[in-house]
Amino acid sequence: KAGVTQTPRYLIKTRGQQVTLSCSPISGHRSVSWYQQTPGQGLQFLFEYFSETQRNKGNFPGRFSGRQFSNSRSEMNVSTLELGDSALYLCASRPSDTLGNTIYFGEGSWLTVV
Amino acid sequence: AQSVAQPEDQVNVAEGNPLTVKCTYSVSGNPYLFWYVQYPNRGLQFLLKYITGDNLVKGSYGFEAEFNKSQTSFHLKKPSALVSDSALYFCAVRDRGSGNTGKLIFGQGTTLQVKP
């Protein structure tokens, strides 16, 4: 079974632009969440989607948004990019909303803002 | 507020020796605890989790972790370290305050360096 797939793996954007990152969860998984990883702040939760509905949102500005499609694939968008948005963005999926589910991560999308 | 602490930024061990990576947690209610490993320029790989039951949890690649409720700890262990175990290790707890969502709260990570 294929794991969590994220595209693109690497990208460079200019300050002020916007970016869209894509995530395909493990087949059969209905929940997708996103995390930002930076050397200074570590791993921080962005948001989670379950059956196309946002279930929870972390403490990030409104420039960060996401959505989930009917096939459980998810995208996140960052508008008006800032230098501080440079980070590894990780997508994760789990089968359902049971608390004990294991959460599986993808390889991440490396975003550099210049 | 729920939190996870990994008190050591780096742990150094010699190959073949046992290793321990420490994690303490602070949660309300029963904790759901996880360990993940991250190799350079890669995502997070799941190692093991504690949900309920036996305090000693066995996971991938020979790793295990011991849940200690009285000490609020969930230390990661391996009887014999390999050079290939060198990586960044993260302890995480499921955020019980956000209902059934999948939000994980991570520790700051511990770099494990295994020397030949």
Side-chain angles (χ1 to χ4, degrees), chain A residues 3-53:
Chain A
V4 179
T5 304
Q6 293 187 243
T7 57
R9 289 294 318 281
Y10 304 91
L11 65 166
I12 300 174
K13 290 287 187 178
T14 303
R15 192 170 45 181
Q17 287 185 316
Q18 73 164 10
V19 66
T20 299
L21 308 177
S22 180
C23 173
S24 293
I26 293 171
S27 178
H29 286 198
R30 298 169 61 193
S31 166
V32 172
S33 51
W34 290 87
Y35 290 79
Q36 181 196 64
Q37 184 179 16
T38 60
Q41 299 299 316
L43 282 153
Q44 293 186 290
F45 173 81
L46 280 157
F47 29 66
E48 183 188 33
Y49 288 86
F50 182 81
S51 295
E52 301 180 66
T53 300

Side-chain angles (χ1 to χ4, degrees), chain A:
Chain A
K1 187 185 272 192
V4 179
T5 304
Q6 293 187 243
T7 57
R9 289 294 318 281
Y10 304 91
L11 65 166
I12 300 174
K13 290 287 187 178
T14 303
R15 192 170 45 181
Q17 287 185 316
Q18 73 164 10
V19 66
T20 299
L21 308 177
S22 180
C23 173
S24 293
I26 293 171
S27 178
H29 286 198
R30 298 169 61 193
S31 166
V32 172
S33 51
W34 290 87
Y35 290 79
Q36 181 196 64
Q37 184 179 16
T38 60
Q41 299 299 316
L43 282 153
Q44 293 186 290
F45 173 81
L46 280 157
F47 29 66
E48 183 188 33
Y49 288 86
F50 182 81
S51 295
E52 301 180 66
T53 300
Q54 188 180 89
R55 296 285 291 270
N56 197 4
K57 190 176 191 303
N59 189 24
F60 280 83
R63 300 185 296 107
F64 291 80
S65 63
R67 59 178 176 169
Q68 186 181 33
F69 303 95
S70 59
N71 61 359
S72 293
R73 193 176 68 83
S74 176
E75 289 180 348
M76 69 162 283
N77 184 276
V78 187
S79 63
T80 319
L81 284 166
E82 301 177 358
L83 297 179
D85 297 332
S86 295
L88 175 64
Y89 290 89
L90 291 163
C91 173
S93 76
R94 59 183 179 128
S96 66
D97 62 354
T98 303
L99 276 175
N101 283 165
T102 298
I103 298 174
Y104 296 94
F105 286 80
E107 292 291 321
S109 292
W110 286 94
L111 171 65
T112 301
V113 182
V114 297

